Amino acid sequence: MSFFSKLGENIILPQDVLIQSKETSVVPNAVNATIGIATDNKKALSLPSINEVIKELSTTDYLPYSPTPGLLKIREVWKEKIFKENSIINPEYLSLPMVTTGITQGIDIVANLFSEKDDALLLPNLFWQNYAQIFTIKLGNNIYKYNQFDNENNFNLSDFKHTLYNIKENKISIILNFPNNPTGYTPSTEELTQLVSIIDVFAKENPNKNLIIISDDAYFGLFFEENHKTPTLSATYRLADNNNCLVVKLDGITKEYYGWGLRVGFITYYTSDDKLRKIVLEKTQGYLRSTTSSPSNLSQQIALRLLESSQAKQEKTYNDSIIEERYHILKEAIVKYNLDNDVTILPFNSGYFFTIKMPEHIDAHKFRLKFLNDYKYGVYSMDDSHIRIAFSCLDKELIPDLIKNFKLCIKEFSK
């Protein structure tokens, strides 16, 4: 007899970005472009106000327990923020957000409250691996993947539609992660409208199927190209007109306010059904009570003061401009060194990352190790074919050299 439950037997620590980042850290003088954080001179790119905020806090503010769904004030402030950024939505349909311990817990809540064994999960072929850990290993969902881009590197709406219509299960969770991790792509306004229309028609044609539409907005706001800046909720809100659709928004201060370690996330529901909204909020609170019991009061107090500070907002805007500048320098370096003559660079226009599809004769894992040990650049090999690079980690002067050396390393595999 094993000590482990069935879940205990199946759960794993993926040999993913955390492991590869650790490998990078032990290589002397290596540049780390593996992990989803923003850095400046190898230190976290913070909001300077955060140190002042922390100094001002009193133990009477942060030592008591937080309410299970989070501090009422921060929930109200975050709801106001969501509505301001999505003014087209109906505010009466929008629930009061609940605080989660990072967006990861929000994903876990959605998975556990609304899906179970042999339900379906729809994802692009390139996705954050924790989705699979939560939905498939823990809960036994069947995963369906559509190709995010077609052979011409266009956002693949037709394959999304084809895959959705071939799902036989009656409960379908659809994760929309824009800006996307790992590709760094946000659909154009037209593409997002068409994507939602496909879901809308499917929902109307299949009233027996329940759809949970999950917006993972971890990288919200980091949009760098015109016509690719529409918030996901500003498109998916229309789906709430269908009785068989529930819209969920997951976000937080993690990337938006450069507060990765504070672990303050939010889960917010959008539905026209008042009764359902009330029940969902109650059950979410019950799930939170049974897991973390209550979120960190200290982190919320810090986050609340940042959200209410005009100075912090200016600092956030400045930091966002640093990431955007790196994005444009990266685009220029790719053109300068003709990198797309040697590899397939998947479309990217937002967020922290871009993804490279390697030539068939080059194994991405072997390339990563050579690039790390011989050229001193740490990148993330997601599978045998794809490499993700976090330009958010790269000071702007490092970016051209990374692209130049990436090309040189490619040529070594072609000898």
Side-chain angles (χ1 to χ4, degrees):
M1 176 182 288
S2 170
F3 281 108
F4 293 104
S5 65
K6 185 176 181 180
L7 173 60
E9 293 284 355
N10 293 332
I11 204 79
I12 60 171
L13 176 63
Q15 302 300 301
D16 60 2
V17 63
L18 297 179
I19 303 299
Q20 295 186 25
S21 181
K22 185 176 181 180
E23 290 176 356
T24 299
S25 67
V26 300
V27 175
N29 301 315
V31 175
N32 192 341
T34 62
I35 200 163
I37 193 171
T39 61
D40 181 28
N41 195 25
K42 297 186 177 181
K43 295 180 180 178
L45 183 61
S46 66
L47 302 183
S49 293
I50 195 168
N51 286 329
E52 295 305 316
V53 164
I54 291 172
K55 290 176 185 177
E56 294 170 0
L57 288 173
S58 165
T59 54
T60 58
D61 291 325
Y62 66 79
L63 277 184
Y65 285 120
S66 160
T68 294
L71 301 173
L72 179 60
K73 181 63 174 176
I74 198 171
R75 297 170 65 200
E76 292 173 339
V77 168
W78 199 259
K79 182 175 181 178
E80 291 172 7
K81 174 182 177 294
I82 291 174
F83 182 65
K84 183 177 180 180
E85 293 162 345
N86 300 272
S87 57
I88 196 171
I89 68 175
N90 186 335
E92 295 181 2
Y93 292 1
L94 190 70
S95 78
L96 193 62
M98 289 191 173
V99 178
T100 61
T101 304
I103 297 174
T104 302
Q105 189 188 32
I107 296 166
D108 187 67
I109 290 169
V110 174
N112 278 277
L113 286 186
F114 305 116
S115 69
E116 55 194 347
K117 181 176 172 55
D118 293 330
D119 287 338
L121 173 67
L122 178 59
L123 290 171
N125 59 318
L126 299 174
F127 58 88
W128 188 50
Q129 290 301 316
N130 231 0
Y131 295 147
Q133 179 97 321
I134 293 169
F135 278 88
T136 62
I137 295 178
K138 290 175 69 175
L139 291 172
N141 274 211
N142 299 318
I143 188 168
Y144 292 81
K145 293 181 282 188
Y146 63 94
N147 291 314
Q148 189 170 2
F149 304 106
D150 61 23
N151 292 333
E152 283 72 46
N153 250 3
N154 296 313
F155 189 65
N156 203 337
L157 288 164
S158 62
D159 200 51
F160 175 87
K161 180 177 181 179
H162 174 78
T163 307
L164 176 61
Y165 273 81
N166 277 278
I167 295 176
K168 304 304 180 186
E169 290 83 353
N170 287 329
K171 180 78 71 64
I172 306 171
S173 297
I174 303 173
I175 295 181
L176 304 178
N177 171 219
F178 307 127
N180 178 259
N181 175 7
T183 65
Y185 188 74
T186 294
S188 68
T189 300
E190 293 81 3
E191 288 169 336
L192 190 56
T193 299
Q194 291 178 55
L195 180 69
V196 171
S197 293
I198 290 169
I199 300 172
D200 186 47
V201 172
F202 179 84
K204 287 177 168 60
E205 292 177 349
N206 296 273
N208 61 312
K209 294 182 183 289
N210 285 336
L211 309 180
I212 303 95
I213 299 91
I214 306 159
S215 299
D216 178 351
D217 289 342
Y219 301 88
F220 181 84
L222 293 169
F223 305 120
F224 308 136
E225 297 289 347
E226 292 302 323
N227 199 37
H228 291 266
K229 295 184 176 183
T230 299
T232 305
L233 183 59
S234 289
T236 57
Y237 81 97
R238 294 192 296 113
L239 297 172
D241 292 335
N242 300 297
N243 293 331
N244 57 339
C245 289
L246 175 64
V247 176
V248 186
K249 177 174 168 60
L250 305 173
D251 49 26
I253 72 158
T254 308
K255 276 84 176 179
E256 288 195 51
Y257 273 78
Y258 299 84
W260 306 275
L262 294 178
R263 309 307 296 142
V264 177
F266 298 91
I267 182 168
T268 311
Y269 301 100
Y270 189 82
T271 174
S272 61
D273 188 332
D274 294 340
K275 183 178 179 181
L276 175 62
R277 191 182 318 107
K278 180 179 179 181
I279 293 172
V280 163
L281 287 172
E282 182 178 314
K283 289 187 177 297
T284 301
Q285 187 168 340
Y287 189 86
L288 286 165
R289 177 66 176 162
S290 72
T291 52
T292 50
S293 185
S294 65
S296 166
N297 197 348
L298 175 59
S299 291
Q300 290 179 85
Q301 297 288 354
I302 294 169
L304 178 58
R305 285 159 176 77
L306 292 176
L307 289 168
E308 293 184 321
S309 165
S310 58
Q311 179 64 31
K313 290 177 182 176
Q314 292 175 18
E315 293 166 359
K316 166 184 156 45
T317 299
Y318 177 73
N319 282 4
D320 289 350
S321 72
I322 291 175
I323 305 299
E324 182 169 359
E325 181 184 24
R326 294 174 184 178
Y327 163 79
H328 289 296
I329 291 172
L330 172 60
K331 287 279 190 175
E332 292 169 2
I334 289 170
V335 172
K336 178 180 179 180
Y337 292 105
N338 298 308
L339 183 60
D340 51 2
N341 288 344
D342 302 284
V343 298
T344 299
I345 299 171
L346 300 183
F348 68 102
N349 52 34
S350 53
Y352 277 10
F353 312 108
F354 77 111
T355 294
I356 294 172
K357 184 178 181 181
M358 303 299 285
E360 290 185 2
H361 68 280
I362 300 179
D363 179 274
H365 301 299
K366 293 179 181 178
F367 179 91
R368 174 186 74 85
L369 291 172
K370 184 173 184 61
F371 197 47
L372 173 60
N373 293 305
D374 294 357
Y375 291 84
K376 309 302 180 186
Y377 291 96
V379 295
Y380 171 40
S381 55
M382 297 181 287
D383 52 31
D384 294 342
S385 303
H386 295 91
I387 284 179
R388 187 194 76 178
I389 300 177
F391 61 86
S392 60
C393 294
L394 299 171
D395 292 351
K396 63 181 182 180
E397 61 271 13
L398 298 174
I399 294 172
D401 281 346
L402 181 144
I403 297 300
K404 179 179 70 175
N405 285 297
F406 198 100
K407 188 178 182 78
L408 290 175
C409 193
I410 286 281
K411 292 188 181 303
E412 289 199 46
F413 281 84
S414 303
K415 291 179 180 177

